Amino acid sequence: AQTVTQSQPEMSVQEAETVTLSCTYDTSESDYYLFWYKQPPSRQMILVIRQEAYKQQNATENRFSVNFQKAAKSFSLKISDSQLGDAAMYFCAYKGNDMRFGAGTRLTVKP
Amino acid sequence: DVKVTQSSRYLVKRTGEKVFLECVQDMDHENMFWYRQDPGLGLRLIYFSYDVKMKEKGDIPEGYSVSREKKERFSLILESASTNQTSMYLCASSLLSAPQGETQYFGPGTRLLVL
C-alpha cells in the first residue's frame, strides 16, 4: 500500500522568510497526483497546491512552490515570504488508486 | 466556490449511542468521503462513495457505516459509539472526472467526544 511520510511534526519560520516542508511517499504506481493541503486552526482544510506525476515541471501557486523529485519519491513544499496567515497544519497527500495523507506538519510563523 | 457543510462542529455522546454525522455538498460532486483525523496519524479514510447508494470501505471501516440516498448528502453512522471513536471527522467531496476530480474539498469537521 502507498504511504506518505512527513518527517517534520513541527516547523517554525520567521515572518518574511522561506521555509520548506518535507514529504516522501512510497508507491509502485506510475500515474498519480500529489497535493499539499493546509488546515488553519479551527478552520476548513484547503488545497494549497497540486502536482500531476506525469508533469516534470514543478507546480507553483504565488508564494507556494513544490520540488517534485519523482525518482526519489519526494514532494517538498516551499513557502516564500512567509506570512502570519500561513500558520497551520500542512498535510501532504497522495492520490493514485488510493488516497493517502501524511501525519502533518504544524507550521508556526513568528512575527 | 464549493461548499461542504457538516451538521455539527462539536458533538458529545455516550458509549453505546447511535451517532449520525451528516455532510452536504452543493457542487454536484459525484465523490464523497469520510475521514477521521487524529494527532500524529493524519487523515485516515473510513468510507467513500462514487455515486448515490454506492459505498466502498476505506482503511478503517470497522464500527462505522454510511448512507448516500441523495447525491449531495453523505452520512456517517456510528452504530454503537465507543470511546476509541473520539476524534475529528472530516467530510470531503470531489468531481469524478480527472484531472479536476483529484482535488478534494473539505467540510469544517465535526469534533466528536464519546464519554
Side-chain angles (χ1 to χ4, degrees):
Chain A
Q2 296 77 24
T3 57
V4 178
T5 302
Q6 293 179 249
S7 58
Q8 306 152 317
E10 295 183 352
M11 289 285 283
S12 179
V13 63
Q14 205 71 34
E15 194 176 7
E17 297 294 310
T18 296
V19 64
T20 299
L21 308 185
S22 301
C23 174
T24 59
Y25 59 95
D26 184 27
T27 185
S28 58
E29 297 173 328
S30 58
D31 189 20
Y32 52 88
Y33 294 83
L34 295 162
F35 306 85
W36 279 98
Y37 283 92
K38 170 185 177 182
Q39 187 180 42
S42 302
R43 290 177 61 189
Q44 233 145 318
M45 190 174 306
I46 57 172
L47 178 71
V48 175
I49 199 165
R50 65 196 291 271
Q51 173 84 40
E52 292 90 343
Y54 64 86
K55 288 187 177 179
Q56 293 187 340
Q57 187 173 6
N58 288 327
T60 299
E61 287 286 343
N62 300 314
R63 298 182 294 108
F64 299 86
S65 61
V66 299
N67 183 3
F68 174 46
Q69 302 289 330
K70 191 172 184 179
K73 296 178 183 174
S74 171
F75 183 61
S76 60
L77 175 70
K78 186 171 82 171
I79 307 173
S80 304
D81 186 24
S82 297
Q83 300 175 0
L84 295 178
D86 294 334
M89 280 289 288
Y90 286 82
F91 291 96
C92 178
Y94 168 101
K95 174 67 173 68
N97 286 329
D98 296 323
M99 187 78 187
R100 290 281 182 268
F101 286 81
T105 297
R106 183 175 301 281
L107 178 67
T108 303
V109 181
K110 296 179 179 178
Chain B
D1 278 352
V2 177
K3 194 163 186 181
V4 181
T5 57
Q6 295 182 227
S7 51
S8 304
R9 291 298 303 270
Y10 301 95
L11 214 49
V12 180
K13 295 292 181 182
R14 298 268 178 209
T15 301
E17 278 192 80
K18 191 169 186 176
V19 182
F20 293 87
L21 304 182
E22 301 283 336
C23 175
V24 177
Q25 51 91 6
D26 67 356
M27 285 302 293
D28 204 32
H29 284 177
E30 293 88 357
N31 303 332
M32 296 189 76
F33 308 83
W34 275 107
Y35 296 91
R36 63 176 284 175
Q37 180 183 357
D38 300 289
L41 297 177
L43 278 68
R44 291 179 292 166
L45 183 64
I46 304 171
Y47 268 96
F48 61 98
S49 170
Y50 289 144
D51 201 353
V52 175
K53 297 191 186 295
M54 178 273 180
K55 59 185 178 184
E56 292 287 342
K57 293 180 180 179
D59 297 319
I60 51 165
E62 296 78 20
Y64 304 94
S65 63
V66 290
S67 172
R68 193 163 182 202
E69 296 296 320
K70 294 184 178 181
K71 190 176 185 180
E72 67 271 19
R73 188 179 299 270
F74 192 36
S75 303
L76 180 68
I77 303 154
L78 286 66
E79 296 290 341
S80 177
S82 63
T83 54
N84 62 14
Q85 292 179 309
T86 290
S87 186
M88 169 73 90
Y89 290 87
L90 296 177
C91 176
S93 72
S94 69
L95 278 170
L96 183 61
S97 57
Q100 291 81 2
E102 305 300 340
T103 299
Q104 296 193 5
Y105 298 85
F106 286 85
T110 295
R111 191 168 293 281
L112 173 67
L113 173 63
V114 182
L115 301 174

